[in-house]
Each structure stands twice: as C-alpha cells, then as structure tokens.
Amino acid sequence: MRLRDLPTPALVLDRSKLLANLARMRKGVGRHGVALRPHLKTAKSVDIAHLAFGGAVGPITVSTLAEAEYFAGNGFRSITLAAAIPAEKLDRAARVAREGAQLTLVTDDLETARAMAAHPGRFRVLVEIDSGEQRGGVPAEDPALVAIGHALGARLAGVLTHAGHSYLCRSLDEVRRVAEEERSAAVRGAERLRDAGLSVEVVSVGSTPTAIHGTSMAGVTEVRAGVYMFGDLFQAEIGSHGIDDIALTVLTSVIGRRPGENRILLDAGALALSKDRSTAQTAHDAGFGVVWDLEGRPTLGRCVVERAYQEHGIATSDRPLPFAALPIGTKLRVAPNHACLTAAAYDRYHVIDGGDELVAEYDRINGW
Amino acid sequence: MRLRDLPTPALVLDRSKLLANLARMRKGVGRHGVALRPHLKTAKSVDIAHLAFGGAVGPITVSTLAEAEYFAGNGFRSITLAAAIPAEKLDRAARVAREGAQLTLVTDDLETARAMAAHPGRFRVLVEIDSGEQRGGVPAEDPALVAIGHALGARLAGVLTHAGHSYLCRSLDEVRRVAEEERSAAVRGAERLRDAGLSVEVVSVGSTPTAIHGTSMAGVTEVRAGVYMFGDLFQAEIGSHGIDDIALTVLTSVIGRRPGENRILLDAGALALSKDRSTAQTAHDAGFGVVWDLEGRPTLGRCVVERAYQEHGIATSDRPLPFAALPIGTKLRVAPNHACLTAAAYDRYHVIDGGDELVAEYDRINGW
C-alpha cells in the first residue's frame, strides 16, 4: 500500500527520519557518558521504544500510569513515571512493579512521601527538583527537600528535574544557560540529600533542548527527552533540529478550494492537528501547522493552516497556490506545531521509510 | 461508585444538565415548527443521541465517516455528514447507506458533484452554501451553485449552511443578525436552485448560537446544532447558555501545591483539557479551563488553568486558594473552554445526575 492510498486524516511517521533523530540523541547524550532514558510520552509506542534502543529494551520514562502498564506489559523493565501522582494511585502503580518492572515514581510533597514510605508496594522514588520552570518540584535549596528525602527513607533513589523553561529560550546560548541551571539544580539537590546522610543513586535531568545543547552533564546519571524522536515545527524553531528532521506529519486531503482567497480547505482540523499554537511566540508563526506536498516538500510555499475548526483546516500560502494541481482529493502532509499533542489524536502510526510505501503500522497507548 | 472514587483525569457528564440543555434546544427550535437534526460531533455517543430524542432515534448530523458508521450501526436511520468528503470516500460512505440508513452528503465542488452523480451508491446530496463564514460552501449568488445542482441531478436534495461566524459575535444582536444571514443565504440558495427547475426538499441551517437566538426560520426545513448539549465556557461567554448549564467537566486531582505563588498543579493538562483557547478573545479569558470544586461550584474563586503542559495544568485564582483544604489528591472539576475538543481526548463519559453518584457510563466514537 502507498501513502496516497491511506484514508485521511492519518498520522504518518517517516522511519528514516525517526532513526536519524534517535541516533543523534543517543550520540549526543553518549558523549557525556551518561545514560539516556527516553521519554515515551510523545511516541507512546512499544515499536518506537524498541527502535530508541536499536531493537532492544532499555530504561524509559513515561507520563501516565497507562503508559507504565503498557510498556511493562511489553517487556520494559526500568520505568520512571516522571509526573507526580497522588497517594491513592500507589496501589495501581505498585501493580506495574509486580509485573517484574523496576518502577520509579517522583514526589515533591512531604505527606505523599510519607504515604509512599508506608506503602507495601515495590517502587523507588525520586524527589522532584524545580530547576526554574516553576511547575512541579521543590527548589534545591528548600528545606523541604531534605525533609522529603528523610520521609522517603529506603525508598529514596535520588532526584529528578525537568527544565521545561528551555522551551522559552530563543537562542542556543539561552538553552545552554538553562541546561546548566537544570544540571546544577539537580546536582545541588543530590548533594544536599547526601550531606544529610541520605543515599542518592539517580540524578535525572532532561528536556529535548537541554539534552541536545547542554555542555556539561557532570554529576548527572541520566538524561530524559521525548519529542526529539519526531521533532516538530516548534522544536525546529528553537534550534533542537532542522526543519527536514521532522519525522511526524498528518496526511490530509484537499476538501475545498477558494482560489479567490488563495485558500484551500483540508480535512485536517483541530482534532487532527490539535489546537497547539506553540510557534505563535516564535519568529515564524506556523498557525496550526505547515502544509507540505505528499512527498513532504514545501512546494506550496510557506503554506500555513491559519484556521482550525473541528474537522476543517483552512490553509493559505505566501505565494499563489497552484490550484490546477490541487483538485479536491489531493493528498498533502501537515507538519505539526507540537508533535506530542498532534500524535495524541491517533491510535496508530502509518510508517514510511523515506519513500511513499507504507512499511509498517505502530500502535499507540492513549488515555490514562 | 462515587465521583470522588474515579481515577483522574476523567470526563464527567451531568445528565440533569444535559437533559435540560437538550429540552431547551428542542423547545427553542420547535417554536419555529422546523425539525432539529442534532449534530453529534460534540457528543459522539449513541446514549446521548438517544437522549436528544427523548429515548428514541431521529435525524442526526455527523462530522466524520467513523461517526456515520457508528450511528448507522446503532440504529440511526437519517444521517447527514455535514463535512465535505473527496470522491474517493464515496464507496465507504455508500456502505453506510447499505446498512439501511438514509445518508446525506454535502459538496460545494462541481467535479465532486459529477463524481457523486456517477456513483452507484445510495445517498443524497446537499449543496453547501457559504453564509458568511468563508469556510466551505459557495455563496448563494454564485453561478457555481446552480451548476453543481444540475451536475448532481437526481441526487440533489437541497442546501446546507453553517454560520460558524456566529462564534465571533459578542452580543445577542450580532448573533441575531448572523442567524438571519444564515437563514436568508440558505433560502436564497434554495430559491435559485428551484428557479433553475431543480427540486429542493432540504434547507438546512445551524450553529448553537444561531439555533438558540435566530428570530425567524422562514423557508428553513431543519436546524443543526451540537455543542448546546454540553455547553462550555465559550458558549456561556457568548450568551448561548448560563455558566451553570455546563454539563461537561474534567475530574482532576491536585498533584502539586505552590502556596507562595497561590498556585495548584493538576493532573489535567493539555491532553486532558485540550489546548483550545476560544475564550481568549472574550471578556473573560478562561485560560485552559475554569476550576470548580468536586460539587461543580466556584468555591475556589475565579480559578483558572493558566498553563497547560502535556499532563499538568497549573491553576491560580483571583483570591487566596484555601491550601489547608487542598491537600495532594483533592478532587476538583475543570469546566472546558470548548467541549468538543475536550471530550475528544476520552473514550467514555462518566455520568452523574446532579449528585456525586455515578449512574452510567456512555461510550464515544473517536477518530476517523
């Protein structure tokens, strides 16, 4: 079957680009001599997780218990759930570990740490450090850090931080500065716990921009990153990769033509693309996605989905669209603003390998 | 089981509010003596579709072929797919009709109309009219309208329009004006087809705001609307219903606390809420949703999800949050900006009936 024969909208993954992205991150993190613990919150796919380790299994990061269960059930043995969960979910989490996986949880809360210490299940815990994003975590200097470490007792395995504010950077120098904030906050947190007589095995950091551009990983034991696998318009814009490295696109059909307005109507709208507008704050606002031809080339000019209704996207270009070559039914591909959110609308990937032949179908685990 | 016992995030539907919303629309459209053809693109649920007809089946509107197949397979007999499809999908569409349903398609394209006329399947077609939204459709005055009508031949059943630009209105007077634009464009289109000797049975209009506030339906045969079933923050803001009429919320747990910043971290983020920001253009920007307590009351003040990461929402309030009453694990409910997009992240509804007892579970059909 060929790409052009797929019913639209459909999620398309170019394996050749995926493999290059995976190899680049492995090499980039490898140069620091630290472990890579890929975050599967973007791909949510066992097939892709295997590719991330060259066909093997390795340590992974997940964002939901549903992902933890799915990957544990498919043979992954070291799983870090990098989002805090309330104590009432510990029973469900502990069942993941019963399937033979080493499960690692995170917390930044003293009461939850006490509940974790008292729980009979088999899991270890990292204290979440806030390295500047001001989302979750305690600052490395906060006295709460050591109190939480003590409360965790034998469960304590180390610290984890995520410099999500690297997404706000607009230059590589800024990314490098944030990467150093991320590293140093995690290392300081680990030192404070060790100074308090606690044992710290894991010092976990990561985001795609900081993993790629960080200059030092001194004191770090592992790096997490996820969106690097696919890339997207936003990551290209902030310098995580090139525009041609984007491995994920949405196959769409032209379902309307408005030559007088230089616009085409696509059957990829808000549900097929997501309403993510990450690039709105960057130098090149990509609307709800950038439209490429079936081969993934920008032959329509800078063609942007400027309006997204539930099932309709309206695209226009900075040059006159070639309407003679765009009859109703023409297949095009839309590069996403934010791969994590676009992929979440689909239950599978249709895989190509550079060309237009469909070579595989990978499933995905959605929901919670 | 009680609402508080559900794992979070979860989609919660208050049936008592749903039934009131359904009854209000039936009464509102009924006063004009025209048929209501509910749009199931929001609910995507057979259970809810039955409730829309007081437990029976009736004529419905859908937005995807997947919905058409699902509802036809569940006994719905008159189905209008109100989004244009390319000719290559006609085979799949015609299979829906083979299950005994009367299927109605739309087009605004001459070549597609010819392909429809030549197709062996059993379906009828409405010509889509652009009543001012500038999305799909031909203007009622466009010569293309009659050409498409002639091309459709015996398949032609009438005209359809959707005044989606009613969403841009900021006063009821504006909505009434757009409703009249919608009605008059559809009726003019029907007249032009009739003047050309063509038979027009269906004159279909609708959007939730215009269905509620339109003052005349003269010449119209049916009204379509969908989001009125659940309501949302955006529809409340533009006057389609009251804030207390919102029947759909996302159950979430507090997973982080930042008293120094008057912020709480929720396990409902961009995937659980969607990244829709419809209310950003209204008088009361609701961020990524407004946070109510477990009972659905605004006891946290104007508490808004101001940042949405993949699995984390960060909420703050216009008054000091009662942190003593908000330990980790506290269950809250988030009212959505745009119900259609929020619901799309879930495969089922957890149904309450005013109180906190779970009385039913309704499934949903997602995807394409």
Side-chain angles (χ1 to χ4, degrees), chain A residues 67-117:
Chain A
E67 288 168 49
E69 290 161 350
Y70 164 83
F71 286 106
N74 282 282
F76 283 80
R77 287 290 160 261
S78 177
I79 301 174
T80 295
L81 173 55
I85 57 171
E88 73 173 63
K89 289 190 176 177
L90 290 176
D91 288 352
R92 182 175 165 197
R95 284 195 292 273
V96 172
R98 279 217 302 273
E99 292 180 42
Q102 178 190 57
L103 181 70
T104 307
L105 303 175
V106 302
T107 190
D108 65 358
D109 178 67
L110 187 57
E111 288 306 312
T112 307
R114 287 178 179 140
M116 287 169 156

Tab-separated table of all heavy atoms in Angstrom, chain A residues 67-117:
chain	number	residue	atom	x	y	z
A	67	GLU	N	0.629	4.416	30.374
A	67	GLU	CA	1.876	4.133	29.650
A	67	GLU	C	2.738	3.147	30.430
A	67	GLU	O	3.323	2.217	29.851
A	67	GLU	CB	2.676	5.418	29.438
A	67	GLU	CG	2.096	6.383	28.421
A	67	GLU	CD	2.800	7.738	28.497
A	67	GLU	OE1	4.041	7.787	28.499
A	67	GLU	OE2	2.101	8.758	28.578
A	68	ALA	N	2.858	3.342	31.740
A	68	ALA	CA	3.683	2.445	32.561
A	68	ALA	C	3.193	1.009	32.419
A	68	ALA	O	3.989	0.076	32.233
A	68	ALA	CB	3.647	2.892	34.024
A	69	GLU	N	1.877	0.825	32.479
A	69	GLU	CA	1.306	-0.522	32.368
A	69	GLU	C	1.567	-1.122	30.982
A	69	GLU	O	1.908	-2.301	30.856
A	69	GLU	CB	-0.203	-0.451	32.649
A	69	GLU	CG	-0.521	-0.141	34.103
A	69	GLU	CD	-1.927	0.392	34.338
A	69	GLU	OE1	-2.623	0.720	33.348
A	69	GLU	OE2	-2.316	0.505	35.513
A	70	TYR	N	1.393	-0.305	29.968
A	70	TYR	CA	1.578	-0.757	28.583
A	70	TYR	C	3.021	-1.174	28.331
A	70	TYR	O	3.292	-2.259	27.790
A	70	TYR	CB	1.137	0.380	27.670
A	70	TYR	CG	1.551	0.336	26.214
A	70	TYR	CD1	0.836	-0.406	25.281
A	70	TYR	CD2	2.622	1.105	25.764
A	70	TYR	CE1	1.189	-0.395	23.938
A	70	TYR	CE2	2.979	1.129	24.423
A	70	TYR	CZ	2.268	0.370	23.514
A	70	TYR	OH	2.620	0.391	22.194
A	71	PHE	N	3.960	-0.357	28.744
A	71	PHE	CA	5.367	-0.697	28.485
A	71	PHE	C	5.833	-1.849	29.378
A	71	PHE	O	6.587	-2.716	28.920
A	71	PHE	CB	6.260	0.537	28.649
A	71	PHE	CG	6.133	1.510	27.504
A	71	PHE	CD1	5.452	2.704	27.644
A	71	PHE	CD2	6.677	1.202	26.257
A	71	PHE	CE1	5.311	3.586	26.577
A	71	PHE	CE2	6.543	2.079	25.181
A	71	PHE	CZ	5.856	3.276	25.341
A	72	ALA	N	5.383	-1.897	30.624
A	72	ALA	CA	5.745	-3.025	31.492
A	72	ALA	C	5.187	-4.320	30.905
A	72	ALA	O	5.873	-5.349	30.874
A	72	ALA	CB	5.212	-2.794	32.901
A	73	GLY	N	3.953	-4.247	30.411
A	73	GLY	CA	3.330	-5.423	29.810
A	73	GLY	C	4.014	-5.860	28.529
A	73	GLY	O	3.823	-6.982	28.060
A	74	ASN	N	4.815	-4.974	27.964
A	74	ASN	CA	5.539	-5.295	26.732
A	74	ASN	C	7.036	-5.439	26.971
A	74	ASN	O	7.835	-5.254	26.054
A	74	ASN	CB	5.252	-4.229	25.671
A	74	ASN	CG	3.882	-4.423	25.017
A	74	ASN	OD1	3.713	-5.274	24.157
A	74	ASN	ND2	2.901	-3.661	25.478
A	75	GLY	N	7.396	-5.767	28.209
A	75	GLY	CA	8.760	-6.199	28.473
A	75	GLY	C	9.747	-5.128	28.904
A	75	GLY	O	10.927	-5.445	29.098
A	76	PHE	N	9.322	-3.902	29.051
A	76	PHE	CA	10.264	-2.876	29.527
A	76	PHE	C	10.416	-3.004	31.041
A	76	PHE	O	9.443	-3.156	31.767
A	76	PHE	CB	9.804	-1.483	29.078
A	76	PHE	CG	10.106	-1.250	27.619
A	76	PHE	CD1	9.278	-1.780	26.629
A	76	PHE	CD2	11.253	-0.576	27.230
A	76	PHE	CE1	9.582	-1.628	25.286
A	76	PHE	CE2	11.562	-0.414	25.887
A	76	PHE	CZ	10.721	-0.938	24.909
A	77	ARG	N	11.648	-2.961	31.500
A	77	ARG	CA	11.967	-3.393	32.852
A	77	ARG	C	12.382	-2.269	33.802
A	77	ARG	O	12.499	-2.483	34.995
A	77	ARG	CB	13.092	-4.455	32.807
A	77	ARG	CG	12.620	-5.807	32.300
A	77	ARG	CD	11.706	-6.468	33.340
A	77	ARG	NE	10.860	-7.514	32.794
A	77	ARG	CZ	9.580	-7.339	32.450
A	77	ARG	NH1	8.986	-6.160	32.570
A	77	ARG	NH2	8.852	-8.346	32.008
A	78	SER	N	12.636	-1.087	33.259
A	78	SER	CA	13.008	0.038	34.132
A	78	SER	C	12.220	1.255	33.674
A	78	SER	O	12.485	1.818	32.613
A	78	SER	CB	14.511	0.297	34.052
A	78	SER	OG	14.841	1.437	34.844
A	79	ILE	N	11.236	1.621	34.472
A	79	ILE	CA	10.256	2.631	34.063
A	79	ILE	C	10.168	3.726	35.112
A	79	ILE	O	9.882	3.444	36.280
A	79	ILE	CB	8.866	1.988	33.865
A	79	ILE	CG1	8.942	0.889	32.789
A	79	ILE	CG2	7.822	3.044	33.511
A	79	ILE	CD1	7.662	0.103	32.609
A	80	THR	N	10.425	4.957	34.686
A	80	THR	CA	10.250	6.102	35.572
A	80	THR	C	8.999	6.865	35.155
A	80	THR	O	8.892	7.303	34.006
A	80	THR	CB	11.471	7.040	35.501
A	80	THR	OG1	12.613	6.336	36.002
A	80	THR	CG2	11.249	8.293	36.341
A	81	LEU	N	8.061	6.989	36.083
A	81	LEU	CA	6.867	7.803	35.841
A	81	LEU	C	7.201	9.208	36.325
A	81	LEU	O	7.245	9.463	37.531
A	81	LEU	CB	5.673	7.220	36.591
A	81	LEU	CG	4.383	8.046	36.570
A	81	LEU	CD1	3.930	8.370	35.158
A	81	LEU	CD2	3.271	7.332	37.331
A	82	ALA	N	7.450	10.111	35.370
A	82	ALA	CA	8.024	11.414	35.711
A	82	ALA	C	6.982	12.471	36.040
A	82	ALA	O	7.292	13.654	36.076
A	82	ALA	CB	8.918	11.892	34.574
A	83	ALA	N	5.750	12.070	36.279
A	83	ALA	CA	4.710	13.019	36.716
A	83	ALA	C	4.223	12.574	38.086
A	83	ALA	O	3.996	11.383	38.323
A	83	ALA	CB	3.552	13.031	35.720
A	84	ALA	N	4.070	13.549	38.989
A	84	ALA	CA	3.648	13.229	40.354
A	84	ALA	C	2.264	12.583	40.346
A	84	ALA	O	1.406	12.950	39.539
A	84	ALA	CB	3.619	14.499	41.196
A	85	ILE	N	2.073	11.618	41.235
A	85	ILE	CA	0.736	11.009	41.387
A	85	ILE	C	0.322	11.127	42.848
A	85	ILE	O	1.171	11.128	43.748
A	85	ILE	CB	0.707	9.526	40.938
A	85	ILE	CG1	1.744	8.690	41.702
A	85	ILE	CG2	0.924	9.417	39.441
A	85	ILE	CD1	1.604	7.186	41.449
A	86	PRO	N	-0.978	11.213	43.103
A	86	PRO	CA	-1.447	11.242	44.484
A	86	PRO	C	-1.341	9.852	45.103
A	86	PRO	O	-1.280	8.844	44.394
A	86	PRO	CB	-2.906	11.695	44.366
A	86	PRO	CG	-3.310	11.365	42.971
A	86	PRO	CD	-2.067	11.384	42.124
A	87	ALA	N	-1.328	9.794	46.433
A	87	ALA	CA	-1.118	8.531	47.145
A	87	ALA	C	-2.149	7.476	46.758
A	87	ALA	O	-1.834	6.279	46.748
A	87	ALA	CB	-1.140	8.785	48.654
A	88	GLU	N	-3.363	7.900	46.421
A	88	GLU	CA	-4.388	6.888	46.122
A	88	GLU	C	-4.079	6.103	44.851
A	88	GLU	O	-4.708	5.082	44.593
A	88	GLU	CB	-5.777	7.531	46.033
A	88	GLU	CG	-6.004	8.360	44.784
A	88	GLU	CD	-7.466	8.830	44.665
A	88	GLU	OE1	-7.898	9.588	45.546
A	88	GLU	OE2	-8.142	8.441	43.692
A	89	LYS	N	-3.112	6.568	44.054
A	89	LYS	CA	-2.740	5.802	42.858
A	89	LYS	C	-1.574	4.849	43.101
A	89	LYS	O	-1.127	4.166	42.165
A	89	LYS	CB	-2.400	6.760	41.706
A	89	LYS	CG	-3.624	7.486	41.136
A	89	LYS	CD	-3.306	8.224	39.849
A	89	LYS	CE	-4.560	8.861	39.256
A	89	LYS	NZ	-4.275	9.660	38.043
A	90	LEU	N	-1.078	4.791	44.332
A	90	LEU	CA	0.092	3.939	44.594
A	90	LEU	C	-0.224	2.457	44.408
A	90	LEU	O	0.634	1.685	43.960
A	90	LEU	CB	0.634	4.203	46.002
A	90	LEU	CG	1.307	5.573	46.194
A	90	LEU	CD1	1.714	5.770	47.650
A	90	LEU	CD2	2.519	5.712	45.260
A	91	ASP	N	-1.450	2.042	44.741
A	91	ASP	CA	-1.794	0.626	44.556
A	91	ASP	C	-1.668	0.239	43.086
A	91	ASP	O	-1.088	-0.797	42.746
A	91	ASP	CB	-3.223	0.346	45.035
A	91	ASP	CG	-3.349	0.394	46.547
A	91	ASP	OD1	-2.311	0.484	47.233
A	91	ASP	OD2	-4.494	0.364	47.035
A	92	ARG	N	-2.230	1.081	42.234
A	92	ARG	CA	-2.175	0.790	40.799
A	92	ARG	C	-0.729	0.808	40.307
A	92	ARG	O	-0.315	-0.042	39.514
A	92	ARG	CB	-3.027	1.814	40.038
A	92	ARG	CG	-3.068	1.580	38.549
A	92	ARG	CD	-4.019	2.550	37.847
A	92	ARG	NE	-3.782	2.547	36.406
A	92	ARG	CZ	-4.195	3.479	35.564
A	92	ARG	NH1	-4.912	4.512	36.015
A	92	ARG	NH2	-3.926	3.401	34.280
A	93	ALA	N	0.046	1.780	40.787
A	93	ALA	CA	1.454	1.859	40.392
A	93	ALA	C	2.201	0.603	40.823
A	93	ALA	O	2.987	0.031	40.057
A	93	ALA	CB	2.090	3.108	40.993
A	94	ALA	N	1.922	0.162	42.040
A	94	ALA	CA	2.653	-0.991	42.569
A	94	ALA	C	2.364	-2.249	41.751
A	94	ALA	O	3.201	-3.148	41.664
A	94	ALA	CB	2.292	-1.200	44.041
A	95	ARG	N	1.191	-2.317	41.155
A	95	ARG	CA	0.881	-3.479	40.307
A	95	ARG	C	1.789	-3.526	39.074
A	95	ARG	O	2.084	-4.596	38.555
A	95	ARG	CB	-0.595	-3.458	39.896
A	95	ARG	CG	-1.534	-3.894	41.018
A	95	ARG	CD	-2.935	-4.216	40.501
A	95	ARG	NE	-3.654	-3.046	40.020
A	95	ARG	CZ	-4.386	-2.234	40.792
A	95	ARG	NH1	-4.482	-2.460	42.095
A	95	ARG	NH2	-5.014	-1.208	40.267
A	96	VAL	N	2.216	-2.364	38.594
A	96	VAL	CA	3.167	-2.330	37.475
A	96	VAL	C	4.451	-3.044	37.876
A	96	VAL	O	5.010	-3.847	37.123
A	96	VAL	CB	3.470	-0.877	37.054
A	96	VAL	CG1	4.593	-0.830	36.029
A	96	VAL	CG2	2.212	-0.200	36.516
A	97	ALA	N	4.904	-2.755	39.084
A	97	ALA	CA	6.144	-3.366	39.560
A	97	ALA	C	5.976	-4.873	39.724
A	97	ALA	O	6.928	-5.640	39.542
A	97	ALA	CB	6.563	-2.719	40.882
A	98	ARG	N	4.761	-5.318	40.056
A	98	ARG	CA	4.535	-6.757	40.227
A	98	ARG	C	4.734	-7.513	38.929
A	98	ARG	O	4.956	-8.725	38.932
A	98	ARG	CB	3.121	-7.016	40.771
A	98	ARG	CG	3.016	-6.812	42.276
A	98	ARG	CD	2.072	-7.835	42.930
A	98	ARG	NE	0.728	-7.798	42.391
A	98	ARG	CZ	-0.246	-7.004	42.823
A	98	ARG	NH1	-0.013	-6.155	43.804
A	98	ARG	NH2	-1.452	-7.056	42.292
A	99	GLU	N	4.634	-6.783	37.791
A	99	GLU	CA	4.879	-7.441	36.503
A	99	GLU	C	6.381	-7.581	36.229
A	99	GLU	O	6.784	-7.922	35.124
A	99	GLU	CB	4.194	-6.670	35.365
A	99	GLU	CG	2.674	-6.736	35.449
A	99	GLU	CD	1.987	-5.976	34.309
A	99	GLU	OE1	2.451	-6.076	33.162
A	99	GLU	OE2	0.999	-5.278	34.578
A	100	GLY	N	7.203	-7.274	37.206
A	100	GLY	CA	8.633	-7.504	37.062
A	100	GLY	C	9.431	-6.260	36.729
A	100	GLY	O	10.653	-6.314	36.625
A	101	ALA	N	8.754	-5.144	36.558
A	101	ALA	CA	9.475	-3.922	36.208
A	101	ALA	C	9.968	-3.211	37.464
A	101	ALA	O	9.350	-3.283	38.521
A	101	ALA	CB	8.557	-2.997	35.414
A	102	GLN	N	11.105	-2.538	37.319
A	102	GLN	CA	11.528	-1.628	38.371
A	102	GLN	C	10.838	-0.303	38.102
A	102	GLN	O	11.101	0.350	37.090
A	102	GLN	CB	13.042	-1.414	38.352
A	102	GLN	CG	13.463	-0.409	39.428
A	102	GLN	CD	14.900	0.020	39.295
A	102	GLN	OE1	15.312	0.530	38.252
A	102	GLN	NE2	15.684	-0.201	40.332
A	103	LEU	N	9.958	0.083	39.010
A	103	LEU	CA	9.186	1.311	38.821
A	103	LEU	C	9.762	2.415	39.696
A	103	LEU	O	10.031	2.202	40.882
A	103	LEU	CB	7.725	1.072	39.182
A	103	LEU	CG	6.824	2.292	39.005
A	103	LEU	CD1	6.632	2.621	37.525
A	103	LEU	CD2	5.473	2.063	39.685
A	104	THR	N	9.941	3.586	39.094
A	104	THR	CA	10.424	4.743	39.830
A	104	THR	C	9.391	5.853	39.757
A	104	THR	O	8.956	6.222	38.660
A	104	THR	CB	11.766	5.235	39.246
A	104	THR	OG1	12.678	4.133	39.192
A	104	THR	CG2	12.358	6.342	40.096
A	105	LEU	N	8.985	6.353	40.922
A	105	LEU	CA	7.997	7.431	40.985
A	105	LEU	C	8.688	8.724	41.413
A	105	LEU	O	9.855	8.708	41.810
A	105	LEU	CB	6.892	7.071	41.986
A	105	LEU	CG	6.158	5.752	41.705
A	105	LEU	CD1	5.162	5.435	42.820
A	105	LEU	CD2	5.450	5.812	40.356
A	106	VAL	N	7.963	9.818	41.341
A	106	VAL	CA	8.504	11.099	41.804
A	106	VAL	C	7.528	11.741	42.778
A	106	VAL	O	6.322	11.496	42.721
A	106	VAL	CB	8.768	12.092	40.639
A	106	VAL	CG1	9.732	11.492	39.629
A	106	VAL	CG2	7.475	12.515	39.957
A	107	THR	N	8.057	12.576	43.651
A	107	THR	CA	7.202	13.388	44.503
A	107	THR	C	7.939	14.659	44.901
A	107	THR	O	9.178	14.708	44.857
A	107	THR	CB	6.744	12.644	45.775
A	107	THR	OG1	5.729	13.429	46.422
A	107	THR	CG2	7.892	12.437	46.751
A	108	ASP	N	7.164	15.680	45.261
A	108	ASP	CA	7.737	16.900	45.835
A	108	ASP	C	6.953	17.282	47.082
A	108	ASP	O	6.991	18.434	47.514
A	108	ASP	CB	7.709	18.050	44.816
A	108	ASP	CG	6.296	18.482	44.444
A	108	ASP	OD1	5.320	17.869	44.936
A	108	ASP	OD2	6.162	19.440	43.668
A	109	ASP	N	6.251	16.285	47.672
A	109	ASP	CA	5.306	16.571	48.750
A	109	ASP	C	5.578	15.667	49.947
A	109	ASP	O	5.681	14.445	49.808
A	109	ASP	CB	3.879	16.342	48.215
A	109	ASP	CG	2.827	16.568	49.275
A	109	ASP	OD1	2.665	17.722	49.700
A	109	ASP	OD2	2.188	15.575	49.693
A	110	LEU	N	5.649	16.274	51.119
A	110	LEU	CA	6.020	15.542	52.327
A	110	LEU	C	4.981	14.488	52.702
A	110	LEU	O	5.338	13.347	53.033
A	110	LEU	CB	6.226	16.544	53.480
A	110	LEU	CG	6.774	15.992	54.789
A	110	LEU	CD1	8.116	15.291	54.594
A	110	LEU	CD2	6.897	17.127	55.816
A	111	GLU	N	3.705	14.862	52.638
A	111	GLU	CA	2.659	13.900	53.013
A	111	GLU	C	2.656	12.704	52.063
A	111	GLU	O	2.496	11.556	52.475
A	111	GLU	CB	1.278	14.573	53.005
A	111	GLU	CG	1.047	15.539	54.150
A	111	GLU	CD	1.304	14.890	55.504
A	111	GLU	OE1	0.805	13.774	55.745
A	111	GLU	OE2	2.062	15.487	56.307
A	112	THR	N	2.827	12.996	50.768
A	112	THR	CA	2.859	11.903	49.788
A	112	THR	C	4.082	11.022	50.023
A	112	THR	O	4.013	9.791	49.919
A	112	THR	CB	2.863	12.476	48.358
A	112	THR	OG1	1.762	13.384	48.220
A	112	THR	CG2	2.740	11.378	47.314
A	113	ALA	N	5.215	11.651	50.365
A	113	ALA	CA	6.430	10.880	50.650
A	113	ALA	C	6.192	9.922	51.815
A	113	ALA	O	6.629	8.760	51.786
A	113	ALA	CB	7.586	11.833	50.962
A	114	ARG	N	5.483	10.397	52.835
A	114	ARG	CA	5.183	9.529	53.986
A	114	ARG	C	4.284	8.369	53.562
A	114	ARG	O	4.490	7.223	53.976
A	114	ARG	CB	4.505	10.342	55.088
A	114	ARG	CG	5.472	11.283	55.794
A	114	ARG	CD	4.769	12.127	56.858
A	114	ARG	NE	5.734	13.008	57.527
A	114	ARG	CZ	5.475	14.265	57.873
A	114	ARG	NH1	4.282	14.806	57.633
A	114	ARG	NH2	6.403	14.988	58.470
A	115	ALA	N	3.287	8.680	52.727
A	115	ALA	CA	2.397	7.615	52.246
A	115	ALA	C	3.170	6.611	51.399
A	115	ALA	O	2.925	5.402	51.455
A	115	ALA	CB	1.248	8.225	51.445
A	116	MET	N	4.132	7.109	50.602
A	116	MET	CA	4.955	6.213	49.796
A	116	MET	C	5.808	5.315	50.692
A	116	MET	O	5.945	4.111	50.440
A	116	MET	CB	5.857	7.036	48.868
A	116	MET	CG	5.085	7.678	47.700
A	116	MET	SD	6.108	8.893	46.817
A	116	MET	CE	5.304	8.889	45.195
A	117	ALA	N	6.377	5.901	51.739
A	117	ALA	CA	7.228	5.119	52.648
A	117	ALA	C	6.418	4.017	53.323
A	117	ALA	O	6.921	2.919	53.564
A	117	ALA	CB	7.856	6.050	53.694
